[in-house]
């Protein structure tokens, strides 16, 4: 059974940092693209960052330079390091074995999402 389990999110102040992790079981990360998505209040679910199988990464403009997605194939875990957090970064973050620009829940393999709150 394919499973993805995310770490707990957290609450930080504006400008703070937070790292999310997502660990896979039942499959190895090295055969799939991995991505982080988020659902922010009043907005569509969006893809935030992708760690492609070839080792490259892609970010949306809103987080470029502030977020870093890292794939650790040995630990079968993908991380999202978030720095200089802004109020608009708050939302529910999901990891997925996917790279589509839109959210596709089927590829979350049970990942429930993790809440990130940013307060001023």
């Amino acid at each position: 059974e394919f499973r993805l389990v995310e770490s707990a999110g957290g609450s930080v102040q504006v400008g703070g940092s937070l790292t999310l992790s997502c660990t896979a079981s039942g499959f190895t990360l090295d055969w799939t693209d991995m991505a982080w998505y988020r659902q922010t209040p009043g907005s569509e679910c969006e893809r935030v960052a992708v760690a492609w199988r070839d080792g490259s990464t892609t970010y949306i403009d809103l987080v470029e330079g502030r977020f870093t997605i890292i794939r650790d194939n040995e630990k079968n875990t993908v991380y999202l390091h978030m720095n200089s957090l802004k109020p608009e970064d708050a939302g529910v973050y999901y990891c997925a074995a996917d790279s589509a620009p839109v959210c596709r829940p089927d590829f979350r393999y049970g990942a429930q999402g993790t809440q990130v709150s940013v307060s001023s």
Side-chain angles (χ1 to χ4, degrees):
E1 180 186 11
F2 295 175
R3 289 287 309 274
L4 291 172
V5 179
E6 298 142 337
S7 60
S11 181
V12 298
Q13 292 189 323
V14 170
S17 299
L18 192 64
T19 296
L20 306 178
S21 67
C22 174
T23 300
S25 61
F27 67 100
T28 55
L29 295 188
D30 56 4
W31 65 261
T32 182
D33 303 323
M34 292 294 298
W36 284 94
Y37 296 80
R38 70 183 179 190
Q39 177 75 62
T40 57
S43 298
E44 295 290 326
C45 183
E46 62 183 349
R47 188 187 70 191
V48 174
V50 183
W52 302 94
R53 279 175 292 176
D54 67 1
S56 63
T57 56
T58 299
Y59 303 91
I60 57 171
D61 289 346
L62 290 173
V63 307
E64 182 78 54
R66 299 189 297 118
F67 288 15
T68 304
I69 185 171
I70 296 176
R71 173 205 298 267
D72 186 333
N73 289 339
E74 289 189 3
K75 295 183 179 180
N76 225 29
T77 297
V78 62
Y79 301 91
L80 185 67
H81 298 296
M82 303 182 291
N83 296 318
S84 302
L85 282 161
K86 303 176 180 180
E88 53 264 40
D89 293 319
V92 180
Y93 284 69
Y94 302 91
C95 70
D98 198 6
S99 57
V102 296
C103 295
R104 302 193 294 182
D106 286 349
F107 293 87
R108 294 176 190 164
Y109 297 115
Q112 297 298 304
T114 188
Q115 180 71 49
V116 172
S117 300
V118 183
S119 59
S120 56

